[in-house]
Amino acid sequence: TRGRTNAGPGGRSAGMRQVYAYGCSFGALAEVARAGAGPRRAVCDLGLLMRAVLGNVLARLVRTLQPHLPARRQRRTPRQGSARTPRIAPGTRLAPPPEEMIPHLRCPSLEHFRDNYLIPQRPVVLEGVMDHWPCMKKWSVDYFCQVAGCRTVPVELGARYTDEEWSQQLMTVSDFIRQYIVDENNVGYLAQHQLFDQIPELKEDISIPDYCCLGEGEEDDITINAWFGPGGTISPLHQDPQQNFLAQVFGRKYIRLCSPRDSENLYPHESQILHNTSQVDVEDPDLVKFPNFTKAAFQSCILMPGQILFIPVKYWHYVRSLELSFSVSFWWS
């Protein structure tokens, strides 16, 4: 997981979740009988977020109701180029260590990727792999409002999850877009680990990269995540316990990577909840407090739409959105 784990009831017993699923399904059906459009979809989403499967009855119920729900469109144009970069006080910090560019490769064969990048655990930017995905032509802010605007999702509030004011809140996709995409005065990020299971219409627009077949698990073991937010949002330098393909659908992201061999130079937090996150502000490092940070070797890239970055397991990565962007990540073993 990424730094602070998403707060939620995933650890509840299967029995409790099943009871909750029954309650959600009965509640949604009761709202349908009363012709109440709002609560029924919210009840379904809460059940889905609880991972209350119940034979996928809630997902099927939402899909049946979806065509009958009113589509919403944003009346204001969302910001496209705002990049709220961290403020750096002149003269208070030394320059961060130099970095090398991550290599780019166009549609390598499975064997070439396995032998030259997966086995030796080397990052690479893959091009041409996702050109055929429907999302590359379909996805936009208006499309999300049409397909998922009424759906309730968890949203991260704040520029980065290590900030004290960082929090999470449930809201509809339309409310998120209005408050955190259109309105430039707020900072929020839709970082969703269940979005594609919750909204199958979006999952149909993407494909699992073929290179994931080189892993040890089954396709059902692959975790697909959504990352949607404005420019200036940041994922602090952190590491994840699985291989990662980060696919950029629209917008650009600045990314810096560092090998796990340099972990001791990156000063991970000592607390258990943030043990996979560095204490160092990558673009504004305090080298008096963290002097060994200069010994760490970095690679970087600006991930463009249509590109996929391979981030090897346990590789440290820092991500800053340069503008309104949507990424999809695939975690696999």
Side-chain angles (χ1 to χ4, degrees):
T1 56
R2 186 183 59 126
R4 300 188 190 188
T5 56
N6 281 349
R12 296 176 186 265
S13 69
M16 287 295 294
R17 286 186 281 120
Q18 195 167 41
V19 170
Y20 189 84
Y22 278 114
C24 288
S25 58
F26 293 152
L29 290 172
E31 292 296 339
V32 170
R34 295 191 325 185
R40 71 189 182 205
R41 59 180 181 257
V43 168
C44 290
D45 284 324
L46 290 175
L48 290 168
L49 291 173
M50 284 279 287
R51 298 179 176 88
V53 181
L54 195 61
N56 289 325
V57 64
L58 290 174
R60 287 186 283 127
L61 180 58
V62 170
R63 192 153 194 172
T64 301
L65 295 174
Q66 187 72 31
H68 305 287
L69 299 176
R72 295 184 181 181
R73 292 186 177 273
Q74 297 301 309
R75 296 182 179 179
R76 295 172 56 193
T77 302
R79 56 194 177 198
Q80 296 291 338
S82 63
R84 283 190 291 249
T85 57
R87 295 182 179 179
I88 301 177
T92 60
R93 298 287 189 267
L94 301 178
E99 56 199 66
E100 297 180 0
M101 296 304 296
I102 299 171
H104 288 228
L105 197 60
R106 185 167 187 84
C107 297
S109 67
L110 293 176
E111 294 78 10
H112 184 83
F113 174 78
R114 179 196 63 200
D115 295 341
N116 294 278
Y117 297 97
L118 179 58
I119 293 177
Q121 292 287 275
R122 295 174 54 208
V124 63
V125 174
L126 302 176
E127 299 181 346
V129 175
M130 56 185 291
D131 290 352
H132 65 285
W133 294 6
C135 65
M136 297 304 298
K137 294 181 178 179
K138 294 170 62 176
W139 283 11
S140 66
V141 173
D142 277 344
Y143 180 74
F144 292 145
C145 288
Q146 178 182 354
V147 172
C150 60
R151 306 299 300 277
T152 299
V153 296
V155 172
E156 298 185 4
L157 307 182
R160 63 185 89 192
Y161 64 78
T162 50
D163 291 347
E164 286 297 326
E165 62 272 18
W166 181 91
S167 64
Q168 290 182 308
Q169 181 177 326
L170 290 175
M171 64 178 65
T172 65
V173 171
S174 287
D175 286 343
F176 164 72
I177 289 173
R178 184 177 65 255
Q179 295 179 38
Y180 299 99
I181 301 299
V182 175
D183 190 343
E184 297 192 15
N185 295 317
N186 300 320
V187 182
Y189 207 72
L190 196 162
Q192 239 282 38
H193 302 274
Q194 295 173 255
L195 185 69
F196 297 107
D197 291 329
Q198 188 181 352
I199 308 174
E201 294 91 338
L202 294 179
K203 191 172 185 178
E204 293 169 358
D205 292 338
I206 61 175
S207 301
I208 294 176
D210 292 340
Y211 306 101
C212 291
C213 75
L214 300 171
E216 299 175 350
E218 301 295 329
E219 183 172 308
D220 290 343
D221 299 326
I222 298 172
T223 301
I224 307 176
N225 308 302
W227 314 98
F228 178 35
T233 52
I234 289 172
S235 290
L237 189 64
H238 68 283
Q239 56 180 188
D240 296 316
Q242 290 183 291
Q243 317 279 7
N244 184 3
F245 282 125
L246 181 61
Q248 193 68 15
V249 180
F250 60 76
R252 301 170 301 147
K253 286 185 172 179
Y254 169 69
I255 303 174
R256 294 185 71 179
L257 303 181
C258 188
S259 168
R261 294 189 296 270
D262 268 319
S263 293
E264 64 179 14
N265 296 321
L266 303 181
Y267 301 90
H269 284 271
E270 296 181 0
S271 65
Q272 181 62 29
I273 195 172
L274 289 175
H275 69 281
N276 66 333
T277 302
S278 170
Q279 301 178 61
V280 185
D281 184 341
V282 168
E283 296 190 80
D284 185 20
D286 185 343
L287 298 181
V288 175
K289 188 175 182 180
F290 309 113
N292 290 338
F293 187 68
T294 57
K295 299 178 182 180
F298 283 93
Q299 292 177 283
S300 71
C301 71
I302 293 180
L303 198 64
M304 306 292 289
Q307 295 180 341
I308 299 177
L309 173 62
F310 170 56
I311 305 175
V313 59
K314 292 290 187 178
Y315 241 79
W316 294 88
H317 47 290
Y318 167 89
V319 183
R320 172 163 56 86
S321 295
L322 299 178
E323 57 201 354
L324 174 65
S325 68
F326 199 115
S327 308
V328 180
S329 63
F330 302 84
W331 290 347
W332 55 289
S333 297

